[in-house]
Amino acid sequence: MIPSRTFVTVVIAILSIATSTDAVMNGVGKLPVMGYNAWNAFACNVNETIIIQTAQYMKDYGLLDVGYNHVNLDDCWAMKDRSATGEVMSDTTRFPSMNNLTDQLHALGFYAGIYSDSGWFTCAGYPGSFMHEEQDAMTFQSWGFDFLKYDNCAIPFDDIVREGVMGKYQRMADALVKVAEDTGTTFIFSLCEWGWNQVWLWGAQMSHSWRINGDIEPVWRSIASITNSASFITQATNFYGRNDLDMLEIGNGNLTYDEAKTHFTVWALVKAPLLIGTNLATISQEMVSILKNQEIIAINQDPVYGTSISPFRWGINPDWTSNATYPAQYWSGPSENGTVIMLINTLSQPADMFFNLTESPWIRAGIQYSVRDLWTHTDNGTAVRDFTAIDVPAHGVVALLLKEDGYESAGMMPPCAGEALTQCTAENGTKYS
């Protein structure tokens, strides 16, 4: 059975009411969601049988065991028209009983997710929730769902909505809070607004995650572009709210094995939700092994540090350069067990990648560091002052965990490392040059 929680899911508008604040205090929604979303693999060709079979694949492949515990519907689950009293209804052929669906998912050990839209219609033309927010929220709760993805199509005219983008989403956030007050259960609320330059400024006020870009495609060009977008807003991510880079396309399209590893590593280490978008009936075990890298997942689910890793050097481009083809290459951040380093080779051929340790703000001068490779799962000796990753594959990634391993040896020359060398000064005022 599904694990019990004091609150079924996470907080909505975490600063606004006591119910939500209690959810935060209980740790609900603290970490990124992991699971499955049906859209990229099936689009509108989805039904109850496919969803339950997918959940079974999640169990059979061991994905549930490593943390992928959500199975979420996307668009096209509804009838085209509401009932005479305004209720949204599930498709009577493909989803004859939503309660039966959620009961089966819960019995398999999963939380169940559903989809709606902040406009008149969903992106596929089914009923949206505008002006039905509380009614729909109560319906979703009565069906047993735990998660709501909320899209941005069919926007009402300005003279009807009379709100900015934030206000349009706040309507459903408020409705979910009302349902929480009335029933004692809440939803994980995931915004899908697509605007990386604005949504992160307010998304954390009302949701678990917020989309920062348009729909992902299973090609390197899309992975690079989304990585570029994420590189400028890493400060928006922390416990209870994070940038959503869209679904994991591991095993879809034309991504090579190395590109798929990079895709997964970026999403996991920037603390994005990890929602698989692949048809699990056809995925290879090689690709499943990427999704099950528990050392990478441990960073995504770190209980001590909720922040994203961030670039410390862009690499090919000058720092702070936006380039959708060649995004930032050198990233780092803190974790419960050491400093995380991510190196991305954005070139189309293998390359060595070098950095001075203290370029990362999380590395201390005068300390040597043990090196753990999070993909080879090997301990690779000690790094002193700098590190070079040899022959990183085209569009490939290196993920490392650096742990303090004592002081540098005495008498190191030069006496200061990296950029500090230009101001390296003895106690008597003599500068090293």
Side-chain angles (χ1 to χ4, degrees):
M1 294 294 292
I2 190 168
S4 62
R5 290 179 174 174
T6 302
F7 292 79
V8 175
T9 52
V10 304
V11 46
I12 305 298
I14 61 176
L15 301 181
S16 63
I17 67 166
T19 299
S20 296
T21 302
D22 289 344
V24 172
M25 295 306 292
N26 285 323
V28 182
K30 179 178 180 179
L31 301 174
V33 163
M34 296 175 61
Y36 187 88
N37 181 286
W39 179 257
N40 285 19
F42 301 106
C44 286
N45 299 314
V46 66
N47 57 45
E48 179 181 301
T49 300
I50 288 173
I51 296 300
I52 297 303
Q53 181 62 71
T54 297
Q56 190 62 56
Y57 284 132
M58 298 275 283
K59 288 199 70 160
D60 293 346
Y61 295 160
L63 292 164
L64 176 61
D65 293 337
V66 298
Y68 294 92
N69 60 4
H70 280 74
V71 174
N72 300 336
L73 295 178
D74 210 280
D75 211 340
C76 306
W77 56 264
M79 299 293 286
K80 285 285 188 175
D81 297 309
R82 291 178 177 270
S83 73
T85 53
E87 282 88 4
V88 65
M89 300 182 293
S90 64
D91 186 287
T92 54
T93 300
R94 293 183 291 115
F95 294 98
S97 170
M98 284 299 201
N99 288 107
N100 183 58
L101 174 69
T102 59
D103 285 348
Q104 289 183 77
L105 291 175
H106 292 162
L108 287 168
F110 294 97
Y111 299 107
I114 198 165
Y115 166 98
S116 191
D117 191 282
S118 61
W120 298 116
F121 306 100
T122 69
C123 297
Y126 292 82
S129 290
F130 184 68
M131 298 185 74
H132 289 272
E133 288 87 0
E134 188 173 328
Q135 187 176 34
D136 287 357
M138 186 62 74
T139 295
F140 300 153
Q141 187 277 334
S142 72
W143 284 343
F145 284 101
D146 313 297
F147 177 104
L148 175 62
K149 175 182 174 180
Y150 206 53
D151 222 332
N152 191 38
C153 288
I155 299 169
F157 295 159
D158 291 350
D159 62 354
I160 296 174
V161 69
R162 299 193 187 280
E163 280 286 2
V165 176
M166 179 177 176
K168 185 160 64 76
Y169 282 92
Q170 188 69 53
R171 294 170 64 97
M172 180 54 86
D174 291 344
L176 293 171
V177 166
K178 177 65 165 56
V179 171
E181 292 178 311
D182 291 345
T183 67
T185 61
T186 60
F187 276 74
I188 291 179
F189 188 36
S190 179
L191 305 185
C192 189
E193 193 273 338
W194 327 317
W196 74 272
N197 62 340
Q198 55 182 338
V199 68
W200 67 272
L201 294 171
W202 49 261
Q205 298 180 46
M206 66 177 75
S207 67
H208 166 272
S209 56
W210 45 88
R211 277 278 294 281
I212 67 167
N213 46 271
D215 290 352
I216 191 173
E217 299 175 55
V219 294
W220 174 252
R221 167 181 46 80
S222 181
I223 305 304
S225 178
I226 294 170
T227 301
N228 176 65
S229 295
S231 69
F232 294 95
I233 54 173
T234 58
Q235 70 274 21
T237 286
N238 210 327
F239 294 133
Y240 305 106
R242 66 277 302 160
N243 297 316
D244 180 355
L245 281 56
D246 204 7
M247 283 168 264
L248 292 168
E249 290 289 81
I250 310 299
N252 279 349
N254 296 315
L255 290 177
T256 68
Y257 176 71
D258 288 311
E259 290 170 345
K261 283 174 58 179
T262 302
H263 172 22
F264 181 72
T265 305
V266 173
W267 267 235
L269 300 191
V270 303
K271 308 296 179 73
L274 300 180
L275 291 172
I276 301 165
T278 308
N279 186 343
L280 295 182
T282 59
I283 192 172
S284 70
Q285 287 304 305
E286 183 180 51
M287 292 299 176
V288 170
S289 72
I290 292 175
L291 293 166
K292 291 175 65 176
N293 185 329
Q294 293 183 69
E295 292 194 73
I296 298 290
I297 290 171
I299 307 300
N300 181 264
Q301 299 289 301
D302 192 318
V304 176
Y305 291 93
T307 52
S308 167
I309 64 169
S310 299
F312 61 82
R313 176 162 37 108
W314 259 245
I316 289 175
N317 298 296
D319 291 348
W320 302 104
T321 299
S322 179
N323 188 319
T325 304
Y326 300 105
Q329 295 181 282
Y330 296 83
W331 303 58
S332 69
S335 81
E336 180 182 19
N337 296 309
T339 297
V340 181
I341 301 289
M342 179 175 74
L343 312 176
I344 307 172
N345 178 13
T346 60
L347 300 174
S348 298
Q349 61 275 343
D352 294 348
M353 300 187 70
F354 168 89
F355 66 98
N356 294 309
L357 297 188
T358 53
E359 288 184 78
S360 165
W362 308 106
I363 294 292
R364 297 170 59 195
I367 306 292
Q368 61 185 12
Y369 285 80
S370 64
V371 180
R372 174 73 176 178
D373 189 310
L374 302 181
W375 277 109
T376 64
H377 308 296
T378 55
D379 296 319
N380 293 358
T382 303
V384 182
R385 295 202 171 186
D386 57 52
F387 182 87
T388 302
I390 303 296
D391 207 28
V392 182
H395 302 164
V397 71
V398 172
L400 307 172
L401 188 64
L402 303 187
K403 297 183 181 182
E404 295 184 13
D405 193 24
Y407 294 155
E408 294 177 351
S409 300
M412 292 287 292
M413 293 299 290
C416 301
E419 295 180 359
L421 188 60
T422 61
Q423 292 295 323
C424 194
T425 306
E427 189 175 359
N428 65 8
T430 302
K431 280 191 174 183
Y432 176 87
S433 60

